[in-house]
Amino acid sequence: MRLTTKGRYAVTAMLDLAIHNDRGPISLADISKRQGISLSYLEQLFARLRKRGLVVSTRGPGGGYTLSRPASDTPISAVDEKVDTTRCGGAADCQNNQRCLTHDLWTDLSDQIRQFLTNITLADVMARNGVQEVAARQERATTQRVVMRRAEPSRVE
């Protein structure tokens, strides 16, 4: 099965935006710190998400990104992740340029995954206990890092 890193990270970043929606625009640096995704990679992802109309950017101090619509109206499939469980990319040329014995099985599985991702929204994922626990843990870790930085003596040379 092929679920790309790009698709996984896009969903993760959009979920982070949804969780922190009440704070206004969220910087990519904050998402990068919480989710462990490189800032340059997030910049590429968000350029794509912005072009698709999934996020809105705000420039200037206090700027960042917000979802373009409510989390309850944003299905996971909106990130346009290509889901294909076949070896042939759906071309039905899996075995010596012909359909293999299990082609239809893997095609049906791909369809089921697409349907699942279409029927689950960011709000549905946010409502899960495990997601809330992870978000709280990430928030505590971020807060702890900020407190530790403030406690460090400043260096003047």
Side-chain angles (χ1 to χ4, degrees):
M1 178 171 10
R2 256 187 332 233
L3 291 174
T4 66
T5 300
K6 189 181 292 186
R8 288 176 191 269
Y9 283 173
V11 171
T12 299
M14 288 183 61
L15 187 57
D16 189 283
L17 284 181
I19 289 168
H20 298 96
N21 185 53
D22 59 337
R23 299 181 185 175
I26 304 297
S27 75
L28 294 183
D30 287 345
I31 295 171
S32 174
K33 287 174 194 164
R34 281 191 294 267
Q35 304 309 325
I37 303 170
S38 85
L39 184 57
S40 61
Y41 198 78
L42 283 173
E43 288 168 348
Q44 293 172 28
L45 279 177
F46 272 75
R48 223 174 103 215
L49 294 173
R50 193 176 62 245
K51 284 180 186 175
R52 288 199 184 126
L54 296 172
V55 297
V56 176
S57 64
T58 304
R59 293 180 182 263
Y65 288 87
T66 54
L67 295 175
S68 63
R69 55 187 181 217
S72 59
D73 293 340
T74 307
I76 300 299
S77 63
V79 300
D80 198 29
E81 171 66 4
K82 301 288 185 241
V83 177
D84 181 19
T85 57
T86 65
R87 289 186 306 169
C88 62
D93 60 358
C94 353
Q95 189 174 35
N96 300 324
N97 291 322
Q98 295 182 28
R99 181 184 304 260
C100 71
L101 189 61
T102 56
H103 179 82
D104 292 336
L105 172 70
W106 304 127
T107 300
D108 290 349
L109 178 59
S110 295
D111 292 342
Q112 290 290 317
I113 294 169
R114 273 190 291 277
Q115 188 65 33
F116 173 77
L117 296 176
T118 298
N119 289 325
I120 190 166
T121 65
L122 289 174
D124 295 331
V125 177
M126 282 174 46
R128 294 178 176 203
N129 285 335
V131 170
Q132 292 301 318
E133 290 169 9
V134 170
R137 184 193 72 225
Q138 290 173 339
E139 192 62 35
R140 285 190 305 273
T142 301
T143 302
Q144 186 177 20
R145 281 192 296 267
V146 169
V147 169
M148 289 175 65
R149 275 194 212 115
R150 288 182 184 155
E152 291 177 1
S154 59
R155 296 180 189 176
V156 179
E157 295 182 30

